[in-house]
């Protein structure tokens, strides 16, 4: 200190040995006032006389008045920092309240131009001993506390996310159950439709059978009508022979069997047994007529 007027004040503020004190001095060109704080409290001030100029350059020496001066510092020094702004009384009090191992407030970090952690890396001269301040654990404590707070916050966030996931899962389960019920209903309707389709197919099969029978009956009716037409035509022209009886439903389109042969031979003597197995069709009847001496030409109206 270059002010003898503050020496007595400072000496009275450091009465106890082996005790740590927070010492802070501030000055700026704007205020031109040198202020000294001990443990966060202002203990003295001194105004810089007007007209004096701030000299730049030189060296910063810790633990001595000046290099090779011989006025060595007779105590211990820890966490020395220099700032590029004049700290306010509130900011000095905050540094003191942070305690011996307290961290530098974040709002002051950008103004810290000389840092204690950088000083420890510099070359040293004389007898300088490193001491264990036991601040490592203290410094780690807020970090650990911060990590714990982050972990608790993350845990709360995860719990909220988990609860939301559970709620969403319940909604999905409800939709799944509803979908399952709808699926059961659809399956029942499908089974019912399948049964109805089977019934329709059965009805369609029966209808097709009836249609086939109707077609067969219609075909037989057409043949009977044709036979009747031929018979009428033959009768009209006097061309009806005994062979025209084959056009009757009793014989037409039927297989010539031994039973039919026996029925006919009881009254006819000119029928051949070579007709066995033949189907009595138009061609067969016309062939028989052609081979018979009594055959006459066909009626022109036949189609």
């Amino acid at each position: 200190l270059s002010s003898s007027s503050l020496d007595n004040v400072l000496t009275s503020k450091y009465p106890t040995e082996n005790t740590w004190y927070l010492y802070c001095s501030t000055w700026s060109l704007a205020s031109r006032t040198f202020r000294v704080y001990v443990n966060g409290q202002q203990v003295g001030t001194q105004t810089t006389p007007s007209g004096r100029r701030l000299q730049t350059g030189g060296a910063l020496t810790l633990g001595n008045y000046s290099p090779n001066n011989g006025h060595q510092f007779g105590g211990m020094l820890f966490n020395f920092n220099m700032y590029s702004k004049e700290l306010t009384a509130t900011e000095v009090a905050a540094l003191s309240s942070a305690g011996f191992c307290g961290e530098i407030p974040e709002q002051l970090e950008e103004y810290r131009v000389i840092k204690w952690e950088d000083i420890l890396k510099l070359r040293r001269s004389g007898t300088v001993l490193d001491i264990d301040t036991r601040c490592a654990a203290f410094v780690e404590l807020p970090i650990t506390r911060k990590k714990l707070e982050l972990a608790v916050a993350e845990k709360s966030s995860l719990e909220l996310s988990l609860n939301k996931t559970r709620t969403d899962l319940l909604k999905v389960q409800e939709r799944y159950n509803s979908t399952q019920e709808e699926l059961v209903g659809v399956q029942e309707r499908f089974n019912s439709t399948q049964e109805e389709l089977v019934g329709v197919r059965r009805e369609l099969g029966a209808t097709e059978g009836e249609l086939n029978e109707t077609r067969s009956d219609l075909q037989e009716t057409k043949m009977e009508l044709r036979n009747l037409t031929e018979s009428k035509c033959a009768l009209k022209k006097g061309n009806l022979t005994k062979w025209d009886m084959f056009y009757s439903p009793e014989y037409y389109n039927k297989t010539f069997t031994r039973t039919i042969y026996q029925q006919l031979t009881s009254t006819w003597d000119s029928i051949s047994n070579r007709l066995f197995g033949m189907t009595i069709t138009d061609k067969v009847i016309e062939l028989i007529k052609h081979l018979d001496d009594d055959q006459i030409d066909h009626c022109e109206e036949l189609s």
Side-chain angles (χ1 to χ4, degrees):
L1 296 173
S2 62
S3 176
S4 60
S5 63
L6 292 176
D7 287 349
N8 293 332
V9 176
L10 293 175
T11 302
S12 65
K13 293 295 181 179
Y14 295 102
T16 306
E17 294 183 354
N18 299 321
T19 302
W20 284 97
Y21 295 89
L22 174 66
Y23 171 82
C24 178
S25 61
T26 65
W27 183 88
S28 71
L29 184 61
S31 68
R32 303 185 66 83
T33 300
F34 184 69
R35 295 181 175 87
V36 177
Y37 299 84
V38 175
N39 291 341
Q41 298 294 323
Q42 182 175 301
V43 296
T45 63
Q46 181 177 337
T47 302
T48 302
S50 60
R52 294 189 61 176
R53 293 184 178 183
L54 179 65
Q55 296 180 354
T56 60
L60 175 64
T61 304
L62 299 180
N64 205 339
Y65 184 80
S66 63
N68 303 318
N69 181 268
H71 293 80
Q72 290 84 7
F73 178 65
M76 292 183 289
L77 190 65
F78 174 68
N79 205 10
F80 176 88
N81 297 281
M82 185 174 288
Y83 300 85
S84 62
K85 61 165 284 186
E86 182 180 12
L87 300 185
T88 65
T90 302
E91 291 169 338
V92 174
L95 288 173
S96 178
S97 298
F100 179 76
C101 297
E103 294 183 330
I104 302 301
E106 185 177 354
Q107 64 271 21
L108 295 180
E109 188 61 42
E110 61 176 306
Y111 302 105
R112 203 162 58 115
V113 292
I114 296 180
K115 303 178 181 180
W116 177 248
E117 56 268 28
D118 295 334
I119 293 174
L120 295 178
K121 301 175 184 178
L122 299 177
R123 181 180 60 86
R124 308 173 189 179
S125 62
T127 304
V128 179
L129 299 176
D130 289 331
I131 61 173
D132 183 8
T133 59
R134 302 182 183 274
C135 283
F138 184 83
V139 173
E140 289 295 330
L141 182 60
I143 297 176
T144 303
R145 184 181 294 111
K146 186 64 176 179
K147 290 181 179 179
L148 181 59
E149 292 175 355
L150 292 175
V152 171
E154 184 178 3
K155 178 176 178 293
S156 300
S157 177
L158 289 175
E159 288 179 348
L160 292 175
S161 178
L162 179 60
N163 292 334
K164 184 178 182 302
T165 302
R166 287 173 177 170
T167 302
D168 294 341
L169 183 60
L170 289 176
K171 292 180 180 179
V172 171
Q173 185 65 41
E174 291 175 357
R175 289 197 295 269
Y176 172 78
N177 294 337
S178 176
T179 302
Q180 284 291 96
E181 294 176 358
E182 293 177 0
L183 184 60
V184 171
V186 170
Q187 185 66 41
E188 292 177 352
R189 291 194 295 273
F190 175 77
N191 294 338
S192 176
T193 303
Q194 285 288 93
E195 294 176 358
E196 293 177 359
L197 183 59
V198 171
V200 170
R201 287 177 178 173
R202 289 176 181 173
E203 294 178 359
L204 181 60
T207 302
E208 288 180 351
E210 294 175 358
L211 181 59
N212 291 334
E213 291 180 1
T214 302
R215 288 172 178 170
S216 178
D217 294 342
L218 180 60
Q219 187 66 26
E220 291 180 0
T221 301
K222 287 181 178 179
M223 295 304 301
E224 291 177 0
L225 180 60
R226 179 178 177 182
N227 294 339
L228 180 60
T229 302
E230 291 179 346
S231 298
K232 287 181 178 181
C233 181
L235 182 61
K236 181 178 180 181
K237 292 195 173 184
N239 296 332
L240 188 63
T241 66
K242 63 183 180 180
W243 306 111
D244 289 313
M245 68 177 299
F246 283 128
Y247 286 110
S248 64
E250 183 179 358
Y251 301 105
Y252 188 77
N253 227 15
K254 304 291 178 61
T255 302
F256 194 92
T257 62
R258 182 174 296 278
T259 301
I260 295 177
Y261 175 77
Q262 291 176 351
Q263 291 177 355
L264 297 178
T265 53
S266 62
T267 55
W268 296 356
D269 55 0
S270 58
I271 188 168
S272 174
N273 58 9
R274 287 183 298 176
L275 297 176
F276 286 168
M278 292 185 178
T279 301
I280 304 175
T281 62
D282 293 346
K283 292 182 178 181
V284 173
I285 296 174
E286 294 303 318
L287 177 62
I288 296 174
K289 285 184 177 183
H290 180 71
L291 296 176
D292 192 350
D293 294 338
D294 296 335
Q295 175 63 34
I296 60 176
D297 294 336
H298 289 182
C299 179
E300 294 178 358
E301 298 178 1
L302 287 176
S303 57

